[in-house]
Amino acid sequence: MNNETIICECGHVNKVGTEMCAACGKPLTDKAQQEGVNMRYEGAAIRSKKRKVTLLDRIWGFFSSVKVGIWIIVLLLLASALGTIFPQDNLRPGLEEPAAFYEREYGAPGLAYYNLGLHELYSSWWYITLIIALGVSIIVASFDRGIPLYKALKAQRVTRHKHFMTRQRLYSKSTIAHPDDELTKVAEALKQKRYKVRVENGNILAEKNRFARWGPYVNHVGLILFLIGCLARYIPGMYVDTSMWIREGERAPIPETDSEYFVENRGFSISLYDEEDERFQEAFESGQSVVPEAFETDAVLYKREGLIGDGDLEMIEEKLIRVNDPLTFDSLSLYQTDYRLNELNQMTFTLENKETNETFGEMTINLIDPEKHYDLGDGYSVVLENYYPNFYMNSNNEPSTLNQIPDNPYFIFNMITPETPEGETSFVGIQQNLEPLGDNDYKMTFVDVDLVNVSILTVRKDLTLPLLIAGGTIFIIGLVQGSYWAHRRVWLQKSGEDVLIAAHTNRNWMSFQREVEQSVKDTALTPPKDQEEETDQDTKGA
Amino acid sequence: MSKKKRSWIRFAILMVIAVAVVYTFIANAQSDNGLVRKGDMAKNFAVTNLVNDRFVLAEQEGKGVFINFWGTFCEPCEREMPHIESAYSDYEDQVEMIAINVDEAPLTVQSFVDRHDLSFPIAIDKRRELTRAYGVGPLPATILVDEHGQVQRYHEGEMTEAQIHEFFQSIVPDT
């Protein structure tokens, strides 16, 4: 087979694989002759259905297949659902190790979830591959079907082959005296119904709402924009979703800004639902007693002027960051999402004589940035020799700290008094007071503690939103275009003594049939019958 | 349209998609929250070290710079400190070095330095500004900057004694 075209008897040149001539509608294959024509793509050759030769054809053929497309969609749906079983890694609260979090919270299934990598599903290579495959499938299928359809609709002639007429679902044949007058009347009636009427040799083609045929393709354009938007999130600078912890009084660089922007927490406040309030009693019975009503951070935004490390901070903005009321700057937004209450901040001690219980002054240690020397007056002073914010014994069995957070502070003090000018060493932690170098005369006694709250802010930026909105809007337009209108065509044709009427649409056959009936009712022509219905009744009768 | 022309158009469509996808993946792989990587120009910074000397990275041009991020709470950092100390004494004249502590209390840092008797320059990143800007994650992390201010290496995790020597050697200017 070397010929790439089929020349129809009407003279139109069709591609190999065409089921029905694009111009006159003559069925070109045996199958089409016997079973009736497939109107879906006007019987045009579906590009991928031609002989597959090259690798390119195979790839093209794979992605153009509707079956493959549906499989991709099903897989994507299943995968997306899988990702919602447990929270994704970036949405889980706290700073715990992910493995520990999933196991503690959800047990063995949680650990399996983590081990399978489902905690970062939406950025996994195979999920992205599926999204890309869907995009390719949509693009390829659109080209594969859209272009031949466009060409076929453009090339269609008014005069169709007799076979094409008889094979249509709505069809009738009438033998009348003055067909031309009657046809003109029908054409007028159809024009009244906003059909576009073309006349050729006295034959008529009337059609309306052809644009509805492009609905699915407009739809696809929207989807592709949407998918591009989804993929654009992986391009650096387009999408940020991370969090930062900031203590009251602290000033910290904002992630993703190259330490150019800083935020200061001037105070965190929270209001709780009143436990005594009658209205809430039912809710309190079922759950925990502390239910926040609102929480907010009094924040100040700074911009660094100068070098990283020692530049000056210039105040840009002050704002109360509330839930759903973020601080926004430079396309980044800081949202109030979580908090941690009562972190240790300052501890106050006094120096006490163990025998007399007499105390000598007070000293307050800032747990974030402690000082070394504390003068208590009258020859009494304390030197803070070492400090472990989050104490533990390390693998060498030496005192050490787990991190910088003062969750479990321990101090090594050197207490100097007139009686002990050499100093006495004391190792003090919460509820503990050790004397590692022998018995002391003095001890450090805990007096008071000052707590601060920690604000947890979500740092967010999404430049892909406009693309997602545009894609979604175009998708809906395509959907409306394809769903609320239907392409309707009516052919009227003289064939010797007879007048043939055929009509086609893809949906709402009843109203369409009525429309055609009304158009021919003032003439002697027989309104078209629904051939499918007749066949149904025949089968039922038999 | 000829078959050949059509093949070309199909090929072009598939290639455009492929290029867009590959670009996205490469761009994504290269963004690690501002993490520096080999070949980047090192971001300039200034810090004041424990003995009150100001250190500006851009002013070190002509010399390689060994930057070590560490914390007293980090055991691997503590283990590699004596090795860095001894290597530093060998390369002091040829290479600049700054050890950056991540936001700890000066008291804690000073007592750590005294305990290990460290002589190389140490600064505290008290606003975690460098740590953020350089995308430093787990400690220790070591960044090697050559005499042209270009990042030669980003190393995460503990270094062996041999590695430290090799790293210092690698940023000694050629001349």
Side-chain angles (χ1 to χ4, degrees):
Chain A
M1 290 262 289
N2 209 12
N3 54 333
E4 286 179 23
T5 54
I6 304 168
I7 299 168
C8 179
E9 59 180 51
C10 74
H12 187 78
V13 182
N14 295 283
K15 303 272 188 255
V16 169
T18 306
E19 287 183 35
M20 156 186 119
C21 174
C24 75
K26 182 191 174 196
L28 295 176
T29 60
D30 292 342
K31 192 168 162 263
Q33 294 262 9
Q34 282 153 23
E35 294 175 7
V37 287
N38 176 3
M39 293 293 285
R40 197 181 294 153
Y41 310 110
E42 296 289 304
I46 295 174
R47 300 218 148 159
S48 63
K49 291 284 169 65
K50 294 182 312 164
R51 287 172 301 152
K52 286 168 190 158
V53 197
T54 60
L55 178 67
L56 184 65
D57 284 335
R58 274 175 212 278
I59 296 173
W60 191 267
F62 177 80
F63 283 111
S64 77
S65 155
V66 171
K67 213 190 252 177
V68 169
I70 289 173
W71 267 111
I72 294 171
I73 291 169
V74 168
L75 287 177
L76 258 177
L77 279 175
L78 289 178
S80 305
L82 214 55
T84 64
I85 296 177
F86 300 132
Q88 289 287 296
D89 192 47
N90 59 342
L91 296 176
R92 100 193 130 77
L95 286 179
E96 207 177 339
E97 280 299 305
F101 168 81
Y102 285 102
E103 190 171 19
R104 175 178 58 76
E105 199 79 1
Y106 308 105
L111 192 63
Y113 196 77
Y114 170 77
N115 285 330
L116 287 170
L118 298 178
H119 67 301
E120 285 178 328
L121 178 108
Y122 301 117
S123 49
S124 70
W125 64 268
W126 61 272
Y127 188 82
I128 296 172
T129 306
L130 274 177
I131 288 192
I132 293 165
L134 180 64
V136 175
S137 168
I138 290 170
I139 293 170
V140 167
S142 301
F143 279 105
D144 198 58
R145 287 141 215 271
I147 290 173
L149 172 63
Y150 174 78
K151 284 186 176 167
L153 283 176
K154 238 190 135 182
Q156 66 175 340
R157 288 182 192 173
V158 174
T159 314
R160 289 288 178 137
H161 193 270
K162 200 179 160 219
H163 266 298
F164 175 88
M165 302 290 286
T166 56
R167 292 282 184 266
Q168 294 301 327
R169 186 167 153 182
L170 291 184
Y171 171 74
S172 76
K173 189 167 99 175
S174 355
T175 315
I176 51 167
H178 303 287
D180 285 330
D181 297 348
E182 304 293 82
L183 287 183
T184 316
K185 265 193 221 161
V186 178
E188 269 316 303
L190 286 169
K191 270 183 196 159
Q192 290 289 311
K193 294 186 184 296
R194 285 179 287 109
Y195 277 80
K196 287 195 186 79
V197 177
R198 277 166 67 196
V199 184
E200 184 186 283
N201 301 330
N203 300 326
I204 291 169
L205 164 60
E207 67 177 321
K208 71 174 179 187
N209 298 341
R210 195 201 276 189
F211 74 94
R213 298 289 285 268
W214 309 119
Y217 303 93
V218 172
N219 217 314
H220 284 180
V221 170
L223 266 180
I224 289 162
L225 282 182
F226 196 88
L227 291 180
I228 289 174
C230 290
L231 281 183
R233 290 190 162 192
Y234 298 102
I235 298 173
M238 296 294 280
Y239 180 74
V240 170
D241 187 2
T242 181
S243 64
M244 64 182 295
W245 291 45
I246 179 160
R247 278 182 203 108
E248 284 175 312
E250 195 189 12
R251 208 179 269 186
I254 299 169
E256 305 279 345
T257 63
D258 239 9
S259 297
E260 201 186 336
Y261 286 98
F262 284 71
V263 65
E264 180 184 323
N265 181 351
R266 280 203 298 215
F268 174 83
S269 57
I270 182 167
S271 57
L272 302 174
Y273 280 108
D274 185 4
E275 272 176 83
E276 305 299 317
D277 196 314
E278 274 178 24
R279 291 173 297 167
F280 308 138
Q281 284 316 305
E282 242 174 274
F284 277 116
E285 272 165 30
S286 63
Q288 74 269 52
S289 58
V290 179
V291 182
E293 186 181 0
F295 47 102
E296 60 189 26
T297 302
D298 183 2
V300 189
L301 179 71
Y302 294 92
K303 188 173 183 183
R304 171 174 49 77
E305 297 292 337
L307 286 178
I308 300 174
D310 73 351
D312 292 329
L313 297 185
E314 192 192 311
M315 194 176 97
I316 304 285
E317 201 187 335
E318 294 170 79
K319 181 167 169 70
L320 273 178
I321 305 179
R322 297 191 177 93
V323 177
N324 288 330
D325 181 15
L327 166 62
T328 300
F329 64 98
D330 207 11
S331 78
L332 273 173
S333 295
L334 295 178
Y335 285 89
Q336 178 77 61
T337 38
D338 208 351
Y339 53 86
R340 219 179 78 140
L341 298 178
N342 304 332
E343 190 183 278
L344 295 176
N345 187 242
Q346 294 190 339
M347 284 174 99
T348 304
F349 291 92
T350 181
L351 183 64
E352 183 178 347
N353 187 311
K354 281 162 73 178
E355 238 166 67
T356 63
N357 287 343
E358 197 184 343
T359 61
F360 304 91
E362 275 190 5
M363 52 183 274
T364 298
I365 302 171
N366 181 327
L367 298 178
I368 305 302
D369 185 9
E371 280 168 49
K372 195 168 178 70
H373 300 278
Y374 298 86
D375 189 5
L376 302 176
D378 299 331
Y380 293 89
S381 72
V382 173
V383 178
L384 179 52
E385 295 287 355
N386 213 336
Y387 163 57
Y388 308 97
N390 199 352
F391 172 79
Y392 83 117
M393 295 299 283
N394 73 12
S395 53
N396 296 331
N397 216 25
E398 289 165 354
S400 187
T401 182
L402 279 170
N403 48 39
Q404 300 107 305
I405 301 167
D407 278 341
N408 184 22
Y410 270 74
F411 311 88
I412 296 179
F413 293 114
N414 191 17
M415 304 169 289
I416 297 160
T417 65
E419 290 131 69
T420 58
E422 294 294 302
E424 293 178 325
T425 299
S426 169
F427 185 52
V428 177
I430 291 173
Q431 311 268 332
Q432 253 195 8
N433 216 324
L434 304 174
E435 296 173 1
L437 304 178
D439 284 347
N440 294 339
D441 296 335
Y442 290 87
K443 67 171 185 178
M444 299 299 298
T445 305
F446 172 77
V447 178
D448 195 12
V449 65
D450 182 39
L451 304 168
V452 291
N453 299 323
V454 182
S455 229
I456 303 176
L457 302 176
T458 292
V459 183
R460 200 181 252 287
K461 171 183 180 178
D462 193 352
L463 298 182
T464 69
L465 262 180
L467 212 54
L468 298 182
I469 291 170
T473 310
I474 293 172
F475 178 86
I476 297 292
I477 291 172
L479 208 65
V480 169
Q481 187 181 341
S483 313
Y484 289 92
W485 285 275
H487 186 201
R488 290 178 168 182
R489 276 178 294 176
V490 184
W491 295 270
L492 292 106
Q493 188 164 311
K494 292 175 294 183
S495 171
E497 297 288 289
D498 304 331
V499 172
L500 308 183
I501 303 177
H504 181 264
T505 185
N506 50 355
R507 119 163 59 76
N508 299 336
W509 288 91
M510 288 278 272
S511 74
F512 180 43
Q513 192 176 1
R514 215 174 305 129
E515 197 171 56
V516 180
E517 271 168 14
Q518 283 167 4
S519 310
V520 300
K521 75 168 188 280
D522 294 332
T523 67
L525 292 166
T526 320
K529 294 263 166 352
D530 192 334
Q531 301 203 80
E532 235 166 62
E533 212 166 69
E534 277 171 16
T535 330
D536 281 354
Q537 278 165 0
D538 288 351
T539 7
K540 273 173 207 157
Chain B
M1 185 167 20
S2 76
K3 201 170 175 183
K4 208 171 167 188
K5 196 174 160 197
R6 186 159 61 238
S7 287
W8 272 110
I9 290 176
R10 286 183 183 180
F11 183 71
I13 292 168
L14 291 176
M15 278 316 287
V16 167
I17 299 171
V19 166
V21 165
V22 167
Y23 166 76
T24 308
F25 271 88
I26 291 174
N28 185 43
Q30 282 183 345
S31 81
D32 241 333
N33 202 355
L35 182 71
V36 290
R37 48 186 69 237
K38 188 183 159 85
D40 291 351
M41 288 306 291
K43 293 168 194 164
N44 191 20
F45 64 82
V47 283
T48 303
N49 68 22
L50 296 180
V51 292
N52 251 335
D53 288 333
R54 192 159 182 261
F55 178 97
V56 181
L57 183 67
E59 289 169 8
Q60 314 302 320
E61 232 184 280
K63 275 190 161 185
V65 185
F66 186 104
I67 307 169
N68 182 251
F69 284 88
W70 65 284
T72 65
F73 50 85
C74 142
E75 284 189 44
C77 302
E78 191 164 3
R79 282 197 296 271
E80 70 181 12
M81 281 300 177
H83 303 315
I84 295 177
E85 175 68 31
S86 80
Y88 176 68
S89 60
D90 293 346
Y91 288 96
E92 209 172 339
D93 301 331
Q94 307 164 68
V95 171
E96 290 297 326
M97 159 160 196
I98 184 89
I100 295 165
N101 173 276
V102 178
D103 191 24
E104 287 185 275
L107 177 92
T108 313
V109 175
Q110 192 60 56
S111 76
F112 181 92
V113 169
D114 294 345
R115 197 160 69 242
H116 291 277
D117 206 8
L118 304 175
S119 65
F120 48 78
I122 292 168
I124 299 174
D125 181 19
K126 61 176 183 297
R127 301 192 294 210
R128 291 195 188 213
E129 210 174 331
L130 274 65
T131 315
R132 277 262 195 246
Y134 271 80
V136 172
L139 299 177
T142 302
I143 299 165
L144 304 178
V145 179
D146 69 12
E147 71 265 30
H148 309 296
Q150 204 174 37
V151 176
Q152 281 302 310
R153 194 183 180 107
Y154 180 89
H155 180 87
E156 199 174 276
E158 190 179 346
M159 297 175 287
T160 63
E161 202 173 347
Q163 250 175 340
I164 293 169
H165 274 272
E166 189 199 316
F167 285 0
F168 268 111
Q169 187 60 50
S170 73
I171 47 170
V172 172
D174 289 334
T175 46

